[in-house]
Amino acid sequence: MHQDGRRRFLKTAASGALTTAAGLAGAQSFDFKPAQRYPDPNVFILDPSFAKYRIYSSTIEQVGSGMRWAEGPAYFPETGTLIVSDIPNNRLMKFEEKTGKFSVHKEGVNYANGNTRDRQGRLVSCEHSVTRRVVRTEKDGSMTVLADNFEGKKLNAPNDIVVKSDDSIWFTDPTFGINGEWEGSRAKPEQATTNVYRIGKDGKITAVITDLVNPNGLAFSPDEKKLYVVEWKGTPNRSMWSFDVSADGATLSNKTKLIDAGGPGAFDGFRVDRDGNLWCGWGFSGAFAPEATDIGGGMKAHLPLAKSDEMDGVKVFNKDGKPIGFIRLPERCANLEFGGPKRNRLYMTSSHSLYALYVEAHGAV
């Protein structure tokens, strides 16, 4: 086969009728060759209990590329579409399951990061910078501001978000979107702490967690009796914390460290399945050695403490915090979402690309 034809074949084979974002301005699109044999060698069973969630005849697919830092996937079963944030490019992307088309959904979104679908089928987004607010897109396309300040001071940089069954909205507020010029615009934080907030049905905003340093991903257990939150700047390592949710669903207690990422490991966004397992965006934290090493040319460098290509992907933990599975990806996975008609298609937003894998797990709703 001619080389150009082979490239076209591989790109099509990656996900059937895939239409990539190769023609979109924004960032480099990367070719991806899926595993030809079953089972996919990039899906690892760390504990025998994970075997039932792996589909033997399912492989990782790349369903979109051309982003700079992919985040915040939110699935809409009514239309079979997935909304994804491309933060540095200040836009939302859309993947359509029926056609395989991956395209720009909306531009100029104030560096939106986390997105979710509320119980009425509306998009709720964390505008990560500039406006620094939580907004809801109504069915007619108009925007409703749900939160932009707390106790008279601007929010830091709303990051990740989830809607509980009682229609309350919970979101994390680290400083990532105002720390520099990559994911937004540099600004001075006005909040004394980096908090987790709850927006009640009455619109009242309360700070439910105030003692985590840059909280990141968050999700509820299937019965909503526990809230899990990633602490990005934990000591000494990044951590996953568990909190008990009160009977009225408004307050938290019993802060417990569920998982320590350990050394160079790093959590980001995550989702919980119906069995209570935590499917976590995972990768290398970027930590480097304190001592410099000779790299030639008369230079010494502080080398990374781990290899990204060995750590990037999705790490799965059971409800007790034990690692049971790992999905290795060619790019760092920042967040994920269960989609598809049966909620068993795992979408993984990973740096420049969007990947998908069918599994025998279903997203908790």
Side-chain angles (χ1 to χ4, degrees):
M1 181 181 290
H2 189 273
Q3 184 68 14
D4 289 343
R6 182 176 181 273
R7 289 196 183 113
R8 287 195 295 272
F9 170 77
L10 291 177
K11 189 171 288 187
T12 301
S15 58
L18 167 66
T19 300
T20 71
L24 300 172
Q28 174 69 46
S29 295
F30 290 94
D31 288 340
F32 173 75
K33 183 178 180 181
Q36 184 172 353
R37 291 185 173 88
Y38 295 137
D40 193 319
N42 292 301
V43 180
F44 295 90
I45 297 171
L46 305 183
D47 183 87
S49 61
F50 183 71
K52 66 180 180 180
Y53 300 112
R54 183 195 67 173
I55 297 177
Y56 180 89
S57 53
S58 171
T59 56
I60 300 165
E61 308 165 85
Q62 184 197 68
V63 298
S65 192
M67 295 174 282
R68 284 202 167 97
W69 181 243
E71 254 282 10
Y75 181 73
F76 292 79
E78 304 90 344
T79 57
T81 59
L82 185 82
I83 299 298
V84 175
S85 291
D86 181 7
I87 302 176
N89 285 322
N90 195 17
R91 64 187 182 180
L92 294 177
M93 308 298 292
K94 179 172 67 175
F95 174 66
E96 303 171 57
E97 289 180 327
K98 290 183 179 180
T99 64
K101 183 180 179 182
F102 186 63
S103 60
V104 176
H105 174 65
K106 186 178 181 180
E107 302 208 53
V109 293
N110 297 309
Y111 300 93
N113 189 330
N115 301 286
T116 193
R117 173 190 178 277
D118 72 7
R119 303 288 164 154
Q120 290 73 45
R122 298 168 296 189
L123 175 66
V124 183
S125 302
C126 290
E127 293 184 347
H128 199 44
S129 193
V130 185
T131 51
R132 294 149 63 179
R133 62 188 185 178
V134 176
V135 298
R136 182 176 66 219
T137 304
E138 307 296 346
K139 294 295 181 69
D140 63 2
S142 62
M143 306 291 287
T144 299
V145 178
L146 302 177
D148 61 2
N149 73 88
F150 178 66
E151 296 182 342
K153 298 179 180 180
K154 286 185 68 67
L155 298 173
N156 293 319
N159 183 280
D160 208 350
I161 191 163
V162 64
V163 177
K164 198 167 173 284
S165 62
D166 62 2
D167 289 321
S168 61
I169 298 169
W170 302 60
F171 68 97
T172 55
D173 190 38
T175 59
F176 306 143
I178 59 174
N179 284 343
E181 304 294 342
W182 178 243
E183 294 188 14
S185 297
R186 188 185 301 275
K188 185 178 180 179
E190 297 181 19
Q191 298 293 329
T193 52
T194 50
N195 304 330
V196 177
Y197 293 100
R198 176 185 183 271
I199 307 173
K201 286 187 66 176
D202 59 1
K204 181 181 179 181
I205 305 172
T206 55
V208 291
I209 302 173
T210 60
D211 63 348
L212 294 184
V213 182
N214 281 324
N216 197 334
L218 78 170
F220 286 97
S221 61
D223 60 8
E224 297 185 334
K225 292 183 178 180
K226 290 187 179 296
L227 175 69
Y228 304 111
V229 184
V230 167
E231 184 176 21
W232 184 84
K233 197 67 173 179
T235 302
N237 305 314
R238 300 188 188 188
S239 302
M240 174 84 71
W241 294 91
S242 170
F243 299 83
D244 291 339
V245 182
S246 62
D248 65 2
T251 59
L252 304 173
S253 63
N254 192 26
K255 177 185 177 183
T256 305
K257 182 180 286 191
L258 180 67
I259 309 166
D260 188 311
F267 291 106
D268 209 319
F270 66 100
R271 291 292 185 271
V272 180
D273 68 23
R274 295 176 189 173
D275 291 340
N277 301 303
L278 293 84
W279 299 66
C280 304
W282 187 260
F284 172 44
S285 68
F288 53 84
E291 299 297 329
T293 300
D294 190 346
I295 61 170
M299 296 178 288
K300 288 187 176 182
H302 295 268
L303 299 179
L305 292 177
K307 296 179 179 179
S308 294
D309 58 352
E310 295 178 351
M311 299 185 69
D312 289 346
V314 173
K315 198 167 186 178
V316 187
F317 300 83
N318 67 16
K319 61 184 178 181
D320 298 317
K322 180 180 180 179
I324 60 173
F326 181 62
I327 302 165
R328 180 167 286 157
L329 296 172
E331 304 178 62
R332 165 70 181 274
C333 180
N335 215 327
L336 51 131
E337 169 77 306
F338 285 96
K342 300 179 181 179
R343 298 283 289 178
N344 68 333
R345 193 179 194 188
L346 185 69
Y347 288 106
M348 299 162 281
T349 51
S350 306
S351 301
H352 303 282
S353 306
L354 174 65
Y355 296 92
L357 175 70
Y358 282 100
V359 294
E360 283 292 359
H362 304 263
V365 178

